[in-house]
Each structure stands twice: as structure tokens, then as C-alpha cells.
Amino acid sequence: MTYPDQPDPRIQPPNPHQQPPQPGGWQPAAGYTPVPEPPRKRKKWPWVVGGIVAVFVIVSVASGGGDDESSSSARDGDAAPLVDSPQTELESAPTVDAPDAEMNAPVRDGKFEFVVTGIETGLSSLGDNPFLAEEAQGQFVIVTMTVSNISNEPQGLSPSNQTLIDDQGREFTADTSAALNLDSDVTLWDEINPGNTVTMPVVFDMPVDATPAAIELHDSMFSGGVTVSLR
């Protein structure tokens, strides 16, 4: 027997905390609280790419400005070339050192005493022997000297150790092949005994327009040398 004012125990009242039915057949358990979805992070790569592009543009503009300045400087340099002053040219001109002695005056280097006795210029060839005759590349210049051994022991002497200097400061070595056509006590090399004196003409081949200014005389290739004026 039922009473109209009492609720039917088979009918349950709705639970306010229960989730509504989900489509698809799966139903969350009672008391289940869904986990909120984390906020999505904003992508940073567009900002990185934009920054790289901005840097590239700035560098390109700066490089272009430098090129314009270099071009402008180059044009200015072309418009106003530098001209060496006469004083600069004068300072760079070669000079001839002051000689130690004049011709016909004795000078000493090492174990030898030299006296330059003469000079002959403007020779185009030397010798009559067809096997020994030499043609000058420019002109042959012959400097004749006497050499005395002033030491107490023998010493070797060679024309190859002597150097001719022109008025431009250029140096010339001896032409020993052409010297074979001359009458000389020392043609290539000879040993001079103490107290002996020899006559030695030395031949040089130099340009036709060159002017001999001095000769540098040496006891040997390792000696300091002395300079005699030929003017």
C-alpha cells in the first residue's frame, strides 16, 4: 500500500555535480573533475626570422655606404695625383762616396799599396788575336795601377777584386777575359812576394754614356778597400 505524499524510492533525484552524458558511449565517473587544457604557447620563430632579416638589411646599408666613400676617395685621388717635390728627387739620387786619394797618390789596403797611374776610356774592342779578341757591350775602360806588397809574407792579387764606380754611383766588376789581350803582370791572379811591385791594368765594360768616377781597390775580396778618384 502506498501513500500519495511519499516519494517513490525507485526514482532517484538528479545529482547537481554529475556530468551530463557524453556522446560516444563513454561516461565519466561520478565526482570526476576534467583537467583544464594548458594555454597554447605563441610561436617565436617569426620574431627570430624578422630579427635576422633586419640585421642583414642594416649590414647591407652600412657596406654600401663604405663602398661609396671608397669610390669617392678613389675619384678624389684620380683628380689630384701626388707630385714628388724636387727635394724628394734630390734626396733619392745616388751619390758617390768621397775618395780616399787622387790618381798618382799611394793608398794602402791590407798588405798592398796601390798607385793608380792612368785611365783609358771609349774602347770598343781589345786584342788582335781572333781567339782572344773581345768586343765591348758598351765601352771598355782600362785603369792601370802599380801594386806593391808592403807586408812580410806573400799575398795573392787579382783584378777581380777591384770595382769601378761611375758618376751615378753604379758599380762595375772587372772583365778578366778582355784583360787577356793586355800586357799585364797579373792577368787573372798572381801571388806577390814581400817588397815586390807589379803593374796591373784592370779592364771594365760599362755603358758608352757612363763616366768613370772612382775605383775601389782591395787587398782581397774580404778587405775593406780604399777609393781613388778618377776625375
Side-chain angles (χ1 to χ4, degrees), residues 26-127:
W26 180 85
Q27 301 295 329
Y32 171 78
T33 302
V35 179
E37 184 179 356
R40 295 184 179 181
K41 296 182 179 180
R42 300 182 62 182
K43 297 181 180 180
K44 297 182 179 179
W45 65 266
W47 296 98
V48 175
V49 174
I52 294 176
V53 172
V55 171
F56 177 76
V57 171
I58 293 174
V59 172
S60 299
V61 172
S63 300
D67 294 341
D68 294 340
E69 292 178 0
S70 300
S71 301
S72 177
S73 299
R75 288 193 297 269
D76 294 342
D78 294 339
L82 297 177
V83 179
D84 293 336
S85 63
Q87 182 177 2
T88 302
E89 295 179 357
L90 181 61
E91 291 176 354
S92 61
T95 59
V96 179
D97 294 337
D100 299 305
E102 304 293 329
M103 292 179 58
N104 299 307
V107 289
R108 294 185 175 184
D109 180 66
K111 299 177 181 179
F112 290 140
E113 181 179 84
F114 300 88
V115 179
V116 177
T117 58
I119 179 173
E120 187 176 2
T121 63
L123 303 174
S124 60
S125 63
L126 286 175

Side-chain angles (χ1 to χ4, degrees), residues 48-227:
V48 175
V49 174
I52 294 176
V53 172
V55 171
F56 177 76
V57 171
I58 293 174
V59 172
S60 299
V61 172
S63 300
D67 294 341
D68 294 340
E69 292 178 0
S70 300
S71 301
S72 177
S73 299
R75 288 193 297 269
D76 294 342
D78 294 339
L82 297 177
V83 179
D84 293 336
S85 63
Q87 182 177 2
T88 302
E89 295 179 357
L90 181 61
E91 291 176 354
S92 61
T95 59
V96 179
D97 294 337
D100 299 305
E102 304 293 329
M103 292 179 58
N104 299 307
V107 289
R108 294 185 175 184
D109 180 66
K111 299 177 181 179
F112 290 140
E113 181 179 84
F114 300 88
V115 179
V116 177
T117 58
I119 179 173
E120 187 176 2
T121 63
L123 303 174
S124 60
S125 63
L126 286 175
D128 298 327
N129 188 320
F131 300 101
L132 297 177
E134 291 283 339
E135 297 288 334
Q137 297 174 356
Q139 63 166 328
F140 283 130
V141 175
I142 303 175
V143 180
T144 303
M145 66 195 72
T146 61
V147 185
S148 303
N149 187 341
I150 57 175
S151 71
N152 296 322
E153 57 186 20
Q155 175 70 11
L157 175 65
S158 175
S160 299
N161 295 331
Q162 321 312 322
T163 302
L164 184 67
I165 306 171
D166 71 357
D167 56 357
Q168 299 182 43
R170 297 178 296 181
E171 298 182 354
F172 302 86
T173 58
D175 189 337
T176 54
S177 297
L180 295 174
N181 295 282
L182 302 178
D183 183 13
S184 174
D185 293 334
V186 182
T187 303
L188 297 175
W189 182 91
D190 201 357
E191 189 172 69
I192 312 301
N193 285 320
N196 286 347
T197 299
V198 296
T199 300
M200 183 177 68
V202 185
V203 182
F204 300 93
D205 192 343
M206 62 192 310
V208 175
D209 58 350
T211 302
I215 186 169
E216 190 174 279
L217 305 173
H218 290 268
D219 161 276
S220 68
M221 67 174 62
F222 304 108
S223 68
V226 289
T227 304

